[in-house]
Amino acid sequence: MDWTPRLTRLPDSHLPLGVGTGQATCRACGTNWPCKTAGEHLSETRCVCGSASWWETRGPRNWHIGPRCYTSAQAVVAQAADLGAAWAAHYPPSHYYPVKPGRRRRQEPPYDHTPAGPGDVQPGTWVWVRPGGLHPGWGDIHHLGMVTALGTPKCELWLHIDGTVHQVRADHLILDGYIARRAARAAGLTTIREPGSGRRPLLPEWKWVDWTIAQHLEHRPPGRTPEEAAQLDLFSVQG
């Protein structure tokens, strides 16, 4: 007598035909489903509508034998409600972003400035806006932007994510990390941090890369700012 391994999953040849009609039959046996072979792999339950439902004991499949108790549209609505409930459970309403107010939009300004030391900030300096610096509609996260006009207490900022223009407090703006790397390469250095393992602190002469724009403005040299000088030179009368 030939030995055959015992089946652990319901064979596809014994799946039902006519599911949803109330008169399902076995594909292979032709008898009422579940047949003897299929019954060894199924457990019976009852749907809320009263129809018999069969679950595969070693698999994810189930079969609703009676007439359909819902339409496809109802199934989609129910699934959407379940997803909405799951979203609300993980992201409570207090974390939803309010509607964004109107802001002017502008193409990326043609500025490019890399600070080389304390107080060396000009239009074209890339910065990160700290959480709380923008309207809550833009989220309570860091945002990358370019300073297009300096001032106190607020600077004009061009936001990289959507090109909107904002007025942001200077103490909420911090220099982008690439500025330190570019400045270090320009100075012929490979690192601006103390030697050692773990999180290495900045060298004393490079502490300024972690300053806010407000701190840089406090350390600007006295006299005319570069933008003011440019305007004076532009409109000066040559004798």
Side-chain angles (χ1 to χ4, degrees):
M1 181 176 179
D2 295 335
W3 176 85
T4 57
R6 184 174 182 272
L7 297 175
T8 58
R9 295 286 301 274
L10 173 61
D12 291 343
S13 58
H14 289 271
L15 292 179
L17 290 175
V19 172
T21 64
Q23 298 178 350
T25 58
C26 176
R27 294 183 180 182
C29 304
T31 59
N32 291 337
W33 195 88
C35 62
K36 181 178 179 180
T37 302
E40 297 176 357
H41 303 278
L42 300 172
S43 60
E44 183 179 6
T45 60
R46 287 286 169 178
C47 177
V48 293
C49 68
S51 298
S53 295
W54 297 87
W55 283 85
E56 189 174 0
T57 55
R58 293 181 178 271
R61 296 179 293 184
N62 71 303
W63 293 268
H64 185 278
I65 301 304
R68 293 188 63 179
C69 56
Y70 55 85
T71 65
S72 298
Q74 291 172 330
V76 171
V77 171
Q79 185 180 22
D82 291 342
L83 293 175
W87 175 270
H90 291 282
Y91 302 96
S94 60
H95 289 185
Y96 291 166
Y97 297 157
V99 178
K100 295 180 180 179
R103 292 288 188 270
R104 292 186 296 115
R105 294 183 183 272
R106 185 189 303 171
Q107 291 183 340
E108 181 174 340
Y111 305 138
D112 185 16
H113 178 73
T114 301
D120 183 22
V121 289
Q122 300 295 342
T125 302
W126 287 94
V127 295
W128 285 97
V129 186
R130 286 174 171 170
L134 300 175
H135 184 277
W138 277 266
D140 190 24
I141 59 176
H142 284 77
H143 276 292
L144 181 66
M146 177 194 293
V147 175
T148 54
L150 295 167
T152 53
K154 294 184 177 181
C155 300
E156 184 183 80
L157 180 86
W158 178 81
L159 200 61
H160 181 265
I161 190 172
D162 57 6
T164 52
V165 179
H166 303 256
Q167 294 292 325
V168 185
R169 291 184 58 87
D171 56 3
H172 278 76
L173 303 175
I174 55 177
L175 297 182
D176 182 31
Y178 91 102
I179 288 177
R181 296 192 294 270
R182 289 180 58 179
R185 287 196 296 268
L189 301 177
T190 58
T191 181
I192 58 176
R193 297 187 179 276
E194 294 281 3
S197 60
R199 185 175 177 83
R200 296 178 294 173
L202 291 167
L203 294 169
E205 61 271 24
W206 289 90
K207 297 290 186 182
W208 58 269
V209 300
D210 282 343
W211 286 359
T212 64
I213 294 298
Q215 291 174 293
H216 278 279
L217 292 177
E218 293 174 357
H219 289 78
R220 298 188 77 180
R224 296 183 305 176
T225 62
E227 54 264 40
E228 291 173 345
Q231 290 293 324
L232 292 174
D233 295 339
L234 180 63
F235 295 102
S236 62
V237 178
Q238 302 293 332

